[in-house]
Amino acid sequence: MQIGAMNHPAKDVVEEIRWIAEHDFDYIDLTLEPPAADPRTLDGSRVAAALEKYQLPVVAHTAYYLSYATPFTSIRRACLEELSVAVEMAGKLGAKLVTVHFSRPPKFFSEDQVFAWHREILAPLCDLAAQCGTVIAVEQSPFPQCRQIDILERLLTELPGLRFHLDAGHARLEPQGDLWSEYLTRLGPFLVHVHLSENDGTCDQHLPLGAIPGQFWQWPQRIAELKSLPYDGTITLEVFAPEPEYLLLSRDLVRRWWAEADER
């Protein structure tokens, strides 16, 4: 198991790489988005040199707000172009995977139509990723307005190059309630990446692990369930508290829960 942290997209990427490496994380989850990490303008050579200097592996993450599940063909094409630029940059930086988000569709469209829009984007991205030496992982979104787990299962089954990225915070924000266990059961064979954060069920707050009073989250049990899948890959802490100590505490807690999981 490797624990990573994400760069702030408005801060200098090289400084973010330095901080993450110096604070004992195993890799950087590099979000390629404006203003400071726009893949169209990012100095890839400078970033690659920093990754080499600090011996920090990298996975990549695209902008969540590229909403390609839309009936407008021109918008879908524009989103595919922007995502392709990010995939190409990720490949140049040696990223072993690139996250693309499930795109929340507008109302009044069938699941078949939503599936078709996603396939139209994800299929060519998977082909491009293979050419660039990486893979595409699709991450589920909060408040999807549809039964996204069913659509994701179809996509993962029909696109052999596609993999799954499970976000714990988003799993709680489904219309059907928390689906963490259902995602692991149904999509576990495709799982290659995990994001962990906490929220109170009202929005995607990216809180430190264990920050919500009560026993809803039960992190030791969740970590044990993930490990027993079995899963032994990358886990990014999406903890965006103003004070970085909360991120470091969450890292240490996950390492402890992971070590204790075999005792449960």
Side-chain angles (χ1 to χ4, degrees):
M1 182 270 293
Q2 304 91 48
I3 298 180
M6 185 174 288
N7 60 299
H8 192 303
K11 296 181 179 180
D12 180 76
V13 176
V14 169
E15 281 302 303
E16 292 288 273
I17 290 170
R18 179 193 61 78
W19 190 92
I20 289 169
E22 291 180 351
H23 284 82
D24 194 30
F25 287 94
D26 299 312
Y27 67 93
I28 181 173
D29 199 329
L30 181 59
T31 183
L32 293 167
E33 59 182 282
D38 186 339
R40 286 193 178 274
T41 58
L42 189 65
D43 186 341
S45 297
R46 178 171 176 261
V47 173
L51 293 170
E52 176 66 23
K53 175 181 178 180
Y54 293 104
Q55 291 294 290
L56 194 65
V58 58
V59 301
H61 188 269
T62 60
Y64 68 90
Y65 46 82
L66 283 172
S67 299
Y68 56 85
T70 171
F72 299 104
T73 303
S74 61
I75 295 177
R76 296 198 305 274
R77 288 174 178 168
C79 287
L80 178 58
E81 180 180 346
E82 296 301 327
L83 290 167
S84 297
V85 171
V87 170
E88 290 170 351
M89 176 57 75
K92 292 176 182 177
L93 296 175
K96 66 179 182 179
L97 68 87
V98 183
T99 289
V100 175
H101 298 78
F102 183 87
S103 182
R104 286 177 290 190
K107 295 180 180 179
F108 313 124
F109 290 91
S110 69
E111 287 195 358
D112 286 342
Q113 183 62 75
V114 175
F115 168 82
W117 290 333
H118 281 79
R119 196 183 197 287
E120 179 184 330
I121 300 299
L122 294 173
L125 284 179
C126 286
D127 292 340
L128 176 61
Q131 296 171 21
C132 295
T134 187
V135 298
I136 301 296
V138 60
E139 174 185 352
Q140 92 278 23
S141 294
F143 304 115
Q145 299 189 124
C146 65
R147 216 10 219 185
Q148 71 175 328
I149 190 170
D150 295 335
I151 298 170
L152 286 169
E153 189 170 40
R154 288 181 63 188
L155 289 165
L156 290 160
T157 300
E158 294 193 20
L159 297 176
L162 185 64
R163 294 295 178 264
F164 179 52
H165 168 167
L166 175 59
D167 187 296
H170 297 175
R172 187 180 182 189
L173 302 175
E174 298 265 357
Q176 302 84 17
D178 180 64
L179 297 185
W180 167 265
S181 295
E182 185 172 353
Y183 273 114
L184 289 178
T185 299
R186 292 177 58 180
L187 305 186
F190 305 100
L191 184 64
V192 295
H193 192 46
V194 176
H195 276 181
L196 299 183
S197 67
E198 190 149 342
N199 63 66
D200 64 7
T202 62
C203 63
D204 194 20
Q205 295 161 311
H206 296 288
L207 297 173
L209 306 191
I212 301 296
Q215 299 297 315
F216 176 85
W217 284 93
Q218 298 179 332
W219 282 110
Q221 291 90 331
R222 285 176 180 250
I223 296 301
E225 186 179 6
L226 176 65
K227 188 175 183 179
S228 67
L229 191 60
Y231 182 78
D232 194 23
T234 47
I235 299 175
T236 295
L237 295 173
E238 275 197 312
V239 173
F240 300 151
E243 298 299 331
E245 285 79 7
Y246 288 107
L247 171 61
L248 302 179
L249 176 59
S250 295
R251 177 203 61 199
D252 295 343
L253 285 170
V254 171
R255 286 177 175 163
R256 189 186 83 197
W257 293 330
W258 189 270
E260 293 173 349
D262 294 332
E263 303 173 5
R264 302 189 67 82

